[in-house]
PDB file of all heavy atoms in Angstrom:
ATOM      1  N   GLY A 112     -47.826-141.387   0.657  1.00  0.00           N
ATOM      2  CA  GLY A 112     -48.223-142.081   1.885  1.00  0.00           C
ATOM      3  C   GLY A 112     -49.715-142.038   2.103  1.00  0.00           C
ATOM      4  O   GLY A 112     -50.412-141.136   1.626  1.00  0.00           O
ATOM      5  N   ILE A 113     -50.214-143.035   2.833  1.00  0.00           N
ATOM      6  CA  ILE A 113     -51.590-143.047   3.298  1.00  0.00           C
ATOM      7  C   ILE A 113     -51.563-143.150   4.812  1.00  0.00           C
ATOM      8  O   ILE A 113     -50.791-143.945   5.365  1.00  0.00           O
ATOM      9  CB  ILE A 113     -52.398-144.204   2.658  1.00  0.00           C
ATOM     10  CG1 ILE A 113     -53.857-144.138   3.113  1.00  0.00           C
ATOM     11  CG2 ILE A 113     -51.757-145.552   2.924  1.00  0.00           C
ATOM     12  CD1 ILE A 113     -54.767-145.058   2.319  1.00  0.00           C
ATOM     13  N   HIS A 114     -52.367-142.336   5.501  1.00  0.00           N
ATOM     14  CA  HIS A 114     -52.260-142.173   6.942  1.00  0.00           C
ATOM     15  C   HIS A 114     -53.609-142.375   7.622  1.00  0.00           C
ATOM     16  O   HIS A 114     -54.672-142.157   7.019  1.00  0.00           O
ATOM     17  CB  HIS A 114     -51.750-140.759   7.276  1.00  0.00           C
ATOM     18  CG  HIS A 114     -50.466-140.408   6.606  1.00  0.00           C
ATOM     19  ND1 HIS A 114     -49.252-140.420   7.255  1.00  0.00           N
ATOM     20  CD2 HIS A 114     -50.191-140.021   5.325  1.00  0.00           C
ATOM     21  CE1 HIS A 114     -48.296-140.051   6.416  1.00  0.00           C
ATOM     22  NE2 HIS A 114     -48.844-139.809   5.236  1.00  0.00           N
ATOM     23  N   SER A 115     -53.540-142.744   8.889  1.00  0.00           N
ATOM     24  CA  SER A 115     -54.751-142.744   9.704  1.00  0.00           C
ATOM     25  C   SER A 115     -55.155-141.297   9.977  1.00  0.00           C
ATOM     26  O   SER A 115     -54.395-140.365   9.717  1.00  0.00           O
ATOM     27  CB  SER A 115     -54.508-143.514  11.007  1.00  0.00           C
ATOM     28  OG  SER A 115     -53.450-142.924  11.753  1.00  0.00           O
ATOM     29  N   ARG A 122     -50.586-141.494  15.101  1.00  0.00           N
ATOM     30  CA  ARG A 122     -50.958-141.541  13.692  1.00  0.00           C
ATOM     31  C   ARG A 122     -50.030-142.490  12.948  1.00  0.00           C
ATOM     32  O   ARG A 122     -48.796-142.366  13.035  1.00  0.00           O
ATOM     33  CB  ARG A 122     -50.895-140.143  13.074  1.00  0.00           C
ATOM     34  CG  ARG A 122     -51.604-140.047  11.741  1.00  0.00           C
ATOM     35  CD  ARG A 122     -51.716-138.608  11.263  1.00  0.00           C
ATOM     36  NE  ARG A 122     -52.691-138.511  10.190  1.00  0.00           N
ATOM     37  CZ  ARG A 122     -52.886-137.431   9.465  1.00  0.00           C
ATOM     38  NH1 ARG A 122     -52.175-136.336   9.721  1.00  0.00           N
ATOM     39  NH2 ARG A 122     -53.785-137.416   8.495  1.00  0.00           N
ATOM     40  N   VAL A 123     -50.597-143.439  12.201  1.00  0.00           N
ATOM     41  CA  VAL A 123     -49.841-144.462  11.475  1.00  0.00           C
ATOM     42  C   VAL A 123     -49.838-144.111   9.987  1.00  0.00           C
ATOM     43  O   VAL A 123     -50.866-143.698   9.433  1.00  0.00           O
ATOM     44  CB  VAL A 123     -50.452-145.858  11.692  1.00  0.00           C
ATOM     45  CG1 VAL A 123     -49.668-146.912  10.911  1.00  0.00           C
ATOM     46  CG2 VAL A 123     -50.476-146.193  13.173  1.00  0.00           C
ATOM     47  N   GLY A 124     -48.687-144.279   9.349  1.00  0.00           N
ATOM     48  CA  GLY A 124     -48.571-144.015   7.914  1.00  0.00           C
ATOM     49  C   GLY A 124     -47.885-145.162   7.195  1.00  0.00           C
ATOM     50  O   GLY A 124     -47.005-145.823   7.756  1.00  0.00           O
ATOM     51  N   ALA A 125     -48.304-145.413   5.957  1.00  0.00           N
ATOM     52  CA  ALA A 125     -47.663-146.411   5.090  1.00  0.00           C
ATOM     53  C   ALA A 125     -47.273-145.722   3.789  1.00  0.00           C
ATOM     54  O   ALA A 125     -48.048-144.917   3.248  1.00  0.00           O
ATOM     55  CB  ALA A 125     -48.600-147.578   4.831  1.00  0.00           C
ATOM     56  N   TYR A 126     -46.087-146.040   3.259  1.00  0.00           N
ATOM     57  CA  TYR A 126     -45.522-145.295   2.139  1.00  0.00           C
ATOM     58  C   TYR A 126     -45.047-146.238   1.033  1.00  0.00           C
ATOM     59  O   TYR A 126     -44.658-147.381   1.275  1.00  0.00           O
ATOM     60  CB  TYR A 126     -44.317-144.472   2.600  1.00  0.00           C
ATOM     61  CG  TYR A 126     -44.605-143.490   3.696  1.00  0.00           C
ATOM     62  CD1 TYR A 126     -44.607-143.889   5.031  1.00  0.00           C
ATOM     63  CD2 TYR A 126     -44.891-142.153   3.407  1.00  0.00           C
ATOM     64  CE1 TYR A 126     -44.883-142.989   6.049  1.00  0.00           C
ATOM     65  CE2 TYR A 126     -45.160-141.243   4.418  1.00  0.00           C
ATOM     66  CZ  TYR A 126     -45.160-141.672   5.742  1.00  0.00           C
ATOM     67  OH  TYR A 126     -45.431-140.775   6.746  1.00  0.00           O
ATOM     68  N   GLY A 166     -42.350-148.173   3.169  1.00  0.00           N
ATOM     69  CA  GLY A 166     -42.073-147.836   4.564  1.00  0.00           C
ATOM     70  C   GLY A 166     -43.336-147.700   5.379  1.00  0.00           C
ATOM     71  O   GLY A 166     -44.454-147.623   4.841  1.00  0.00           O
ATOM     72  N   VAL A 167     -43.154-147.677   6.677  1.00  0.00           N
ATOM     73  CA  VAL A 167     -44.233-147.403   7.629  1.00  0.00           C
ATOM     74  C   VAL A 167     -43.675-146.497   8.714  1.00  0.00           C
ATOM     75  O   VAL A 167     -42.467-146.483   8.965  1.00  0.00           O
ATOM     76  CB  VAL A 167     -44.812-148.685   8.268  1.00  0.00           C
ATOM     77  CG1 VAL A 167     -45.486-149.557   7.217  1.00  0.00           C
ATOM     78  CG2 VAL A 167     -43.720-149.473   8.992  1.00  0.00           C
ATOM     79  N   ASP A 168     -44.542-145.717   9.336  1.00  0.00           N
ATOM     80  CA  ASP A 168     -44.116-144.967  10.513  1.00  0.00           C
ATOM     81  C   ASP A 168     -45.285-144.784  11.473  1.00  0.00           C
ATOM     82  O   ASP A 168     -46.456-144.943  11.095  1.00  0.00           O
ATOM     83  CB  ASP A 168     -43.465-143.631  10.152  1.00  0.00           C
ATOM     84  CG  ASP A 168     -44.398-142.634   9.488  1.00  0.00           C
ATOM     85  OD1 ASP A 168     -45.622-142.664   9.747  1.00  0.00           O
ATOM     86  OD2 ASP A 168     -43.909-141.796   8.708  1.00  0.00           O
ATOM     87  N   VAL A 169     -44.929-144.516  12.710  1.00  0.00           N
ATOM     88  CA  VAL A 169     -45.901-144.230  13.760  1.00  0.00           C
ATOM     89  C   VAL A 169     -45.489-142.914  14.397  1.00  0.00           C
ATOM     90  O   VAL A 169     -44.389-142.801  14.950  1.00  0.00           O
ATOM     91  CB  VAL A 169     -45.946-145.351  14.815  1.00  0.00           C
ATOM     92  CG1 VAL A 169     -46.924-144.984  15.931  1.00  0.00           C
ATOM     93  CG2 VAL A 169     -46.329-146.681  14.178  1.00  0.00           C
ATOM     94  N   ALA A 170     -46.358-141.902  14.283  1.00  0.00           N
ATOM     95  CA  ALA A 170     -46.078-140.577  14.830  1.00  0.00           C
ATOM     96  C   ALA A 170     -46.892-140.371  16.101  1.00  0.00           C
ATOM     97  O   ALA A 170     -48.119-140.536  16.089  1.00  0.00           O
ATOM     98  CB  ALA A 170     -46.421-139.513  13.801  1.00  0.00           C
ATOM     99  N   ARG A 184     -37.900-148.084   6.781  1.00  0.00           N
ATOM    100  CA  ARG A 184     -37.888-148.012   5.321  1.00  0.00           C
ATOM    101  C   ARG A 184     -37.227-149.276   4.781  1.00  0.00           C
ATOM    102  O   ARG A 184     -36.218-149.734   5.331  1.00  0.00           O
ATOM    103  CB  ARG A 184     -37.126-146.783   4.825  1.00  0.00           C
ATOM    104  CG  ARG A 184     -37.687-145.448   5.312  1.00  0.00           C
ATOM    105  CD  ARG A 184     -38.983-145.105   4.618  1.00  0.00           C
ATOM    106  NE  ARG A 184     -39.456-143.789   5.006  1.00  0.00           N
ATOM    107  CZ  ARG A 184     -40.366-143.569   5.959  1.00  0.00           C
ATOM    108  NH1 ARG A 184     -40.894-144.595   6.624  1.00  0.00           N
ATOM    109  NH2 ARG A 184     -40.762-142.334   6.236  1.00  0.00           N
TER     110      ARG A 184
END
Side-chain angles (χ1 to χ4, degrees):
I113 183 168
H114 305 257
S115 59
R122 195 171 195 189
V123 179
Y126 302 84
V167 295
D168 65 29
V169 177
R184 301 287 185 263

